Amino acid sequence: MRIRYGYRIELVCAQDLPLVTLLDVHPSRRHDLTTPDEMRATSLTDPLNELPMSQHLDAFGNICRRIVAPAGGMRLESEGVIFDSGEPDRISPDAREVPPSRLPDDVLPFLLGSRYCETDKLGAQAWSLFGNTVPGWARVQAIVDFVHNHLTFGYHFARSTRTAAEAFEERVGVCRDFAHLAVALCRAMNIPARYCNGYLGDIGVAPNPAPMDFNAWFEVYLGGRWHTFDARHNEPRIGRIVICRSRDAADTAMISSFGPHTLQHFEVITEELEEEPMRLMPRHFRQLDARPAM
């Protein structure tokens, strides 16, 4: 299948605003692009003024862009088409845990605590809740089931500073909180887990009337490879388009700015295209009220 995805974001600022974005599709999916999705940055006060930017990979291999928004503000927008297998997330019930002593060097960091995933605060709860579960896939699924049932989802619960331990106590959150808590509990059980951010449209499921947003899920290292889990939805989904992977949301902010600004406009789109060669569905975006992402 083909999936059309994209965004339009407008920031208003009173003076020049340096920023770094994490909005490009991850390098691991670039080969699936059927239509280029180059970001376009323009001045809000002079729409014909396309702003220069540079590009680099961060420490986790995600694509970053550096831009300076001029006084008055800027618009960031992109739209692309990606080929997807149409298969739901893979289920591998026989996948086994890999002892820390045998983990690859590049996997080890995903055993450690991080800004939003405090393994030290959740270690006792994790072993109390899951110490008697079958190691491997069954244990991770038990963690996902627990988080899915323990937290109540709601956009009005969004708080950018909420950590995994706070989500555990407050029992509310958005998709990033579900992912953070599941990641922290997995790491506390010596299972490497990494945070993911990307697009996830309503493909293969009942349409959600809420405006589209970026989504957070997580991956765990079992049986020598990474596997996808989603504590918010807790079911295999079709059409995930990963943007970035890291330790937690502190490393995956969509926009890191170095100065004051106001989010004026935020839109995201992810939808399956009709299978008609060289024909795109009519362009439309669904507007999302300004609020903390995920």
Side-chain angles (χ1 to χ4, degrees), residues 70-145:
M74 67 179 295
R75 175 184 294 118
L76 299 172
E77 56 188 337
S78 179
E79 182 177 325
V81 177
I82 192 168
F83 173 79
D84 190 83
S85 68
E87 297 294 323
D89 302 325
R90 182 184 301 180
I91 299 176
S92 303
D94 296 328
R96 299 182 178 181
E97 293 179 20
V98 180
S101 61
R102 294 171 50 196
L103 288 171
D105 293 343
D106 61 343
V107 175
L108 278 174
F110 299 103
L111 276 183
L112 306 177
S114 55
R115 164 69 176 84
Y116 289 104
C117 301
E118 316 104 310
T119 53
D120 55 340
K121 293 183 178 180
L122 290 168
Q125 289 93 334
W127 282 99
S128 173
L129 289 166
F130 310 111
N132 293 324
T133 56
V134 178
W137 186 276
R139 175 170 284 169
V140 176
Q141 187 58 57
I143 290 172
V144 171
D145 292 341

Side-chain angles (χ1 to χ4, degrees), residues 83-236:
F83 173 79
D84 190 83
S85 68
E87 297 294 323
D89 302 325
R90 182 184 301 180
I91 299 176
S92 303
D94 296 328
R96 299 182 178 181
E97 293 179 20
V98 180
S101 61
R102 294 171 50 196
L103 288 171
D105 293 343
D106 61 343
V107 175
L108 278 174
F110 299 103
L111 276 183
L112 306 177
S114 55
R115 164 69 176 84
Y116 289 104
C117 301
E118 316 104 310
T119 53
D120 55 340
K121 293 183 178 180
L122 290 168
Q125 289 93 334
W127 282 99
S128 173
L129 289 166
F130 310 111
N132 293 324
T133 56
V134 178
W137 186 276
R139 175 170 284 169
V140 176
Q141 187 58 57
I143 290 172
V144 171
D145 292 341
F146 171 81
V147 174
H148 179 75
N149 294 318
H150 188 72
L151 301 186
T152 298
F153 177 87
Y155 285 117
H156 57 289
F157 296 133
R159 189 174 79 238
S160 61
T161 59
R162 182 184 289 117
T163 67
E166 291 170 340
F168 182 87
E169 294 297 330
E170 296 172 20
R171 305 189 66 164
V172 298
V174 288
C175 58
R176 60 177 269 166
D177 301 304
F178 283 70
H180 282 152
L181 180 53
V183 165
L185 293 172
C186 284
R187 291 178 187 169
M189 301 296 295
N190 293 326
I191 302 171
R194 62 188 184 187
Y195 179 91
C196 303
N197 187 39
Y199 297 92
L200 180 61
D202 299 328
I203 299 174
V205 298
N208 188 330
M212 290 298 301
D213 195 358
F214 292 108
N215 275 262
W217 59 90
F218 73 107
E219 297 174 347
V220 299
Y221 191 82
L222 295 171
R225 63 179 298 270
W226 291 98
H227 301 264
T228 298
F229 287 88
D230 188 331
R232 179 198 167 186
H233 298 104
N234 199 16
E235 64 176 332

Side-chain angles (χ1 to χ4, degrees), residues 269-287:
I269 186 171
T270 316
E271 60 186 12
E272 181 182 359
L273 288 175
E274 296 177 358
E275 289 301 324
E276 296 182 30
M278 305 305 294
R279 177 178 179 272
L280 298 183
M281 296 174 69
R283 181 187 180 95
H284 72 278
F285 280 88
R286 286 174 282 182
Q287 183 169 349

Side-chain angles (χ1 to χ4, degrees), residues 26-43:
H26 193 269
S28 63
R29 293 299 307 271
R30 304 298 296 181
H31 66 281
D32 290 324
L33 297 182
T34 61
T35 300
D37 66 339
E38 284 300 312
M39 175 191 290
R40 185 168 181 260
T42 55
S43 167

